[in-house]
Amino acid sequence: QSVIHSMVAYTDGSVLAQLGSPDMRTPIAHTMAWPQRMAAPSPRLDLAEIAKLTFEAPDLERFPALRLALAALQTGGAAPTLLTAANEVGVAAFLAEEIGFLDIAAIVEETMSRAFAKGLMAVPADLEDVLTLDKAGRAIASELVTTRRT
């Protein structure tokens, strides 16, 4: 139904969800007014009209970026930093029309694979380590973008 925009699961098992109309004008208005709120022209969410929400297990083959994000969270250590760095490089290259959309996840996956092969798996000890990992991930991803340019 596209009304759940975010969910946070807590260690006690409870889940907090943020719901709203499936209309991008609301998050755009939120961004424009930050840190305040402003009225958005989108229709108000009517839960009685929706009546129920349905959920399905995600298709990790159809959505490879989700599969990679889950793997990075399970792996921990450097993985989330490397994923984020590679994703930002891939998205920027896509927006610059240098690569195709489907190349983004492939670049992220290959970046993480190469970084791990280079031994970049340790848990960052401090911000300096995170920045070093980010720089390494971006360098690998940038090299991969160069080889995939459309």
Side-chain angles (χ1 to χ4, degrees), residues 24-112:
M24 286 304 294
R25 292 177 292 181
T26 301
I28 291 168
H30 178 257
T31 301
M32 290 174 58
W34 179 261
Q36 273 67 45
R37 293 278 187 159
M38 65 187 272
S42 53
R44 297 291 178 240
L45 181 63
D46 183 348
L47 292 174
E49 183 180 318
I50 293 170
K52 67 179 182 176
L53 297 173
T54 55
F55 297 87
E56 297 176 16
D59 182 343
L60 300 181
E61 290 304 313
R62 186 170 175 207
F63 302 106
L66 181 56
R67 174 180 49 80
L68 295 169
L70 290 170
L73 288 171
Q74 289 171 346
T75 301
T81 301
L82 293 165
L83 178 132
T84 302
N87 186 65
E88 288 181 2
V89 169
V91 168
F94 168 71
L95 293 174
E97 299 180 356
E98 296 174 349
I99 61 170
F101 180 75
L102 298 178
D103 291 325
I104 298 169
I107 286 169
V108 170
E109 187 164 30
E110 183 63 22
T111 296
M112 292 177 71

Side-chain angles (χ1 to χ4, degrees), residues 3-4 8 30 57 88 99 119 122 127 142:
V3 297
I4 297 178
V8 178
H30 178 257
E88 288 181 2
I99 61 170
L127 180 58
S142 295

